[in-house]
Amino acid sequence: MTQSKMAVSDCYKACLCVLLMVFGLACGQLTSNFYGTSCPTALSIIRSAVVSAVYKEHRMGASLLRLHFHDCFVNGCDASVLLDDTSSFTGEKTAAANTNSLRGFEVIDDIKSKLEAACPGVVSCADILVVAARDSVVSLGGPSWTVELGRRDSTTASKDAATQDIPSPLMDLNALIKAFSDKGFTAKEMVTLSGAHTTGQARCQLFRGRIYNETTIDTDFATSVKSKCPSLGNDDDLSPLDVTTNVLFDNAYYKNLVNKKGLLHSDQQLFSGGSTDSQVTSYSTNPSSFFQDFATAMVKMGNLSPLTGSSGQIRTNCRKVN
């Protein structure tokens, strides 16, 4: 192909991408200004709804962040986690890692309804999850980052994939490293993303074994948590993942690990004489480093196998396909 023909071809592709973006379609890649023309109020609508939800209940910030994580780790960031069961598939909500645990669906529904009123059929549920996660972190005092947009929504979900892919709170360090590596993350990025546990809560059922059976735990901390989690019963009673500043997004999670105050077995595994100890120590004393790395890792997570172009659809109701 001659240089002149190549130039014409490149120009055609560029013009086509501009036209596609005007109509809210993807050009095969994500862009930060994807809704700049098709729905210019999209980001402000999401931000306002998230800030309101977190103001009413601080825990909702952690819940929305967790929704994003559990979505992207299962077949990519495609909003499959939001789908209810149908006659043709069993969704991800009833997977062991999600049932009686994931929450915030009503907040996403509220955001979607507002966006449909402003820009019908334009903003995907997958993009809502990614933006809501960022805005939740910011609303709790954490870092911000530029969210790339243009994802489309899946038309199916998989309980089996959710069961297999989402890391368990009972995992040892090597299993955690592998689970994240399978999604393209380094061990350092695994430690970074685990810092999301600086906010939020966990059910007694998930940490009972640690507080009653493990020795790598501060005695006073274990005693205090046992008062909320007896050896039998009360499986759904909650305790904060970060015993010190649970309603803030900061680096206290790592300080707690250094002091053997990780609530979950998988948390304390990051500081247990293994290969990730030094990274935990670094973040425990350098919050700015953690914030910077967390923002970068979240952008990478949001890029896990997104549907773009003509793949998937823009669901008008995040709970079901069109």
PDB file of all heavy atoms in Angstrom, residues 172-185:
ATOM      1  N   ASP A 172      -3.909 -19.491  51.108  1.00  0.00           N
ATOM      2  CA  ASP A 172      -2.550 -19.192  51.534  1.00  0.00           C
ATOM      3  C   ASP A 172      -1.886 -18.293  50.495  1.00  0.00           C
ATOM      4  O   ASP A 172      -2.434 -18.064  49.410  1.00  0.00           O
ATOM      5  CB  ASP A 172      -1.752 -20.485  51.694  1.00  0.00           C
ATOM      6  CG  ASP A 172      -2.226 -21.322  52.882  1.00  0.00           C
ATOM      7  OD1 ASP A 172      -2.803 -20.740  53.815  1.00  0.00           O
ATOM      8  OD2 ASP A 172      -2.011 -22.552  52.855  1.00  0.00           O
ATOM      9  N   LEU A 173      -0.690 -17.806  50.817  1.00  0.00           N
ATOM     10  CA  LEU A 173      -0.029 -16.826  49.970  1.00  0.00           C
ATOM     11  C   LEU A 173       0.194 -17.321  48.543  1.00  0.00           C
ATOM     12  O   LEU A 173      -0.103 -16.604  47.577  1.00  0.00           O
ATOM     13  CB  LEU A 173       1.313 -16.424  50.585  1.00  0.00           C
ATOM     14  CG  LEU A 173       2.131 -15.397  49.792  1.00  0.00           C
ATOM     15  CD1 LEU A 173       1.351 -14.099  49.618  1.00  0.00           C
ATOM     16  CD2 LEU A 173       3.466 -15.127  50.494  1.00  0.00           C
ATOM     17  N   ASN A 174       0.700 -18.529  48.384  1.00  0.00           N
ATOM     18  CA  ASN A 174       0.979 -19.033  47.039  1.00  0.00           C
ATOM     19  C   ASN A 174      -0.282 -19.117  46.187  1.00  0.00           C
ATOM     20  O   ASN A 174      -0.261 -18.822  44.989  1.00  0.00           O
ATOM     21  CB  ASN A 174       1.661 -20.410  47.114  1.00  0.00           C
ATOM     22  CG  ASN A 174       3.088 -20.318  47.587  1.00  0.00           C
ATOM     23  OD1 ASN A 174       3.723 -19.267  47.511  1.00  0.00           O
ATOM     24  ND2 ASN A 174       3.621 -21.420  48.110  1.00  0.00           N
ATOM     25  N   ALA A 175      -1.382 -19.524  46.801  1.00  0.00           N
ATOM     26  CA  ALA A 175      -2.649 -19.607  46.074  1.00  0.00           C
ATOM     27  C   ALA A 175      -3.144 -18.219  45.681  1.00  0.00           C
ATOM     28  O   ALA A 175      -3.695 -18.022  44.587  1.00  0.00           O
ATOM     29  CB  ALA A 175      -3.692 -20.330  46.920  1.00  0.00           C
ATOM     30  N   LEU A 176      -2.949 -17.247  46.555  1.00  0.00           N
ATOM     31  CA  LEU A 176      -3.332 -15.876  46.242  1.00  0.00           C
ATOM     32  C   LEU A 176      -2.523 -15.334  45.074  1.00  0.00           C
ATOM     33  O   LEU A 176      -3.066 -14.718  44.141  1.00  0.00           O
ATOM     34  CB  LEU A 176      -3.138 -14.981  47.466  1.00  0.00           C
ATOM     35  CG  LEU A 176      -4.116 -15.174  48.620  1.00  0.00           C
ATOM     36  CD1 LEU A 176      -3.605 -14.449  49.864  1.00  0.00           C
ATOM     37  CD2 LEU A 176      -5.508 -14.683  48.243  1.00  0.00           C
ATOM     38  N   ILE A 177      -1.227 -15.559  45.129  1.00  0.00           N
ATOM     39  CA  ILE A 177      -0.352 -15.094  44.052  1.00  0.00           C
ATOM     40  C   ILE A 177      -0.780 -15.706  42.726  1.00  0.00           C
ATOM     41  O   ILE A 177      -0.842 -15.016  41.695  1.00  0.00           O
ATOM     42  CB  ILE A 177       1.118 -15.428  44.359  1.00  0.00           C
ATOM     43  CG1 ILE A 177       1.607 -14.579  45.544  1.00  0.00           C
ATOM     44  CG2 ILE A 177       1.998 -15.205  43.141  1.00  0.00           C
ATOM     45  CD1 ILE A 177       3.004 -14.922  46.013  1.00  0.00           C
ATOM     46  N   LYS A 178      -1.110 -16.989  42.738  1.00  0.00           N
ATOM     47  CA  LYS A 178      -1.532 -17.665  41.506  1.00  0.00           C
ATOM     48  C   LYS A 178      -2.875 -17.134  41.006  1.00  0.00           C
ATOM     49  O   LYS A 178      -3.065 -16.912  39.804  1.00  0.00           O
ATOM     50  CB  LYS A 178      -1.636 -19.168  41.706  1.00  0.00           C
ATOM     51  CG  LYS A 178      -1.992 -19.919  40.421  1.00  0.00           C
ATOM     52  CD  LYS A 178      -2.119 -21.414  40.632  1.00  0.00           C
ATOM     53  CE  LYS A 178      -2.344 -22.127  39.300  1.00  0.00           C
ATOM     54  NZ  LYS A 178      -3.513 -21.593  38.549  1.00  0.00           N
ATOM     55  N   ALA A 179      -3.821 -16.928  41.930  1.00  0.00           N
ATOM     56  CA  ALA A 179      -5.138 -16.447  41.535  1.00  0.00           C
ATOM     57  C   ALA A 179      -5.044 -15.097  40.834  1.00  0.00           C
ATOM     58  O   ALA A 179      -5.732 -14.848  39.830  1.00  0.00           O
ATOM     59  CB  ALA A 179      -6.048 -16.340  42.758  1.00  0.00           C
ATOM     60  N   PHE A 180      -4.186 -14.226  41.323  1.00  0.00           N
ATOM     61  CA  PHE A 180      -4.011 -12.918  40.701  1.00  0.00           C
ATOM     62  C   PHE A 180      -3.163 -13.026  39.439  1.00  0.00           C
ATOM     63  O   PHE A 180      -3.414 -12.326  38.455  1.00  0.00           O
ATOM     64  CB  PHE A 180      -3.403 -11.928  41.690  1.00  0.00           C
ATOM     65  CG  PHE A 180      -4.403 -11.333  42.638  1.00  0.00           C
ATOM     66  CD1 PHE A 180      -4.873 -12.043  43.723  1.00  0.00           C
ATOM     67  CD2 PHE A 180      -4.886 -10.048  42.435  1.00  0.00           C
ATOM     68  CE1 PHE A 180      -5.807 -11.503  44.599  1.00  0.00           C
ATOM     69  CE2 PHE A 180      -5.818  -9.486  43.291  1.00  0.00           C
ATOM     70  CZ  PHE A 180      -6.283 -10.222  44.376  1.00  0.00           C
ATOM     71  N   SER A 181      -2.183 -13.901  39.470  1.00  0.00           N
ATOM     72  CA  SER A 181      -1.344 -14.102  38.287  1.00  0.00           C
ATOM     73  C   SER A 181      -2.172 -14.611  37.113  1.00  0.00           C
ATOM     74  O   SER A 181      -1.939 -14.227  35.957  1.00  0.00           O
ATOM     75  CB  SER A 181      -0.224 -15.099  38.601  1.00  0.00           C
ATOM     76  OG  SER A 181       0.542 -15.383  37.452  1.00  0.00           O
ATOM     77  N   ASP A 182      -3.153 -15.440  37.405  1.00  0.00           N
ATOM     78  CA  ASP A 182      -4.029 -15.959  36.352  1.00  0.00           C
ATOM     79  C   ASP A 182      -4.799 -14.849  35.657  1.00  0.00           C
ATOM     80  O   ASP A 182      -5.259 -15.013  34.522  1.00  0.00           O
ATOM     81  CB  ASP A 182      -5.018 -16.972  36.936  1.00  0.00           C
ATOM     82  CG  ASP A 182      -4.361 -18.290  37.301  1.00  0.00           C
ATOM     83  OD1 ASP A 182      -3.218 -18.533  36.857  1.00  0.00           O
ATOM     84  OD2 ASP A 182      -4.991 -19.083  38.046  1.00  0.00           O
ATOM     85  N   LYS A 183      -4.935 -13.715  36.324  1.00  0.00           N
ATOM     86  CA  LYS A 183      -5.613 -12.567  35.730  1.00  0.00           C
ATOM     87  C   LYS A 183      -4.628 -11.513  35.232  1.00  0.00           C
ATOM     88  O   LYS A 183      -5.029 -10.411  34.828  1.00  0.00           O
ATOM     89  CB  LYS A 183      -6.556 -11.921  36.764  1.00  0.00           C
ATOM     90  CG  LYS A 183      -7.629 -12.867  37.273  1.00  0.00           C
ATOM     91  CD  LYS A 183      -8.537 -13.349  36.155  1.00  0.00           C
ATOM     92  CE  LYS A 183      -9.582 -14.325  36.653  1.00  0.00           C
ATOM     93  NZ  LYS A 183     -10.443 -14.840  35.566  1.00  0.00           N
ATOM     94  N   GLY A 184      -3.342 -11.845  35.267  1.00  0.00           N
ATOM     95  CA  GLY A 184      -2.335 -10.938  34.724  1.00  0.00           C
ATOM     96  C   GLY A 184      -1.709  -9.984  35.716  1.00  0.00           C
ATOM     97  O   GLY A 184      -0.989  -9.064  35.324  1.00  0.00           O
ATOM     98  N   PHE A 185      -1.923 -10.196  37.018  1.00  0.00           N
ATOM     99  CA  PHE A 185      -1.375  -9.306  38.026  1.00  0.00           C
ATOM    100  C   PHE A 185      -0.122  -9.904  38.664  1.00  0.00           C
ATOM    101  O   PHE A 185      -0.025 -11.113  38.859  1.00  0.00           O
ATOM    102  CB  PHE A 185      -2.403  -9.033  39.132  1.00  0.00           C
ATOM    103  CG  PHE A 185      -3.587  -8.232  38.682  1.00  0.00           C
ATOM    104  CD1 PHE A 185      -4.816  -8.841  38.471  1.00  0.00           C
ATOM    105  CD2 PHE A 185      -3.474  -6.872  38.453  1.00  0.00           C
ATOM    106  CE1 PHE A 185      -5.914  -8.117  38.050  1.00  0.00           C
ATOM    107  CE2 PHE A 185      -4.568  -6.130  38.032  1.00  0.00           C
ATOM    108  CZ  PHE A 185      -5.787  -6.756  37.822  1.00  0.00           C
TER     109      PHE A 185
END
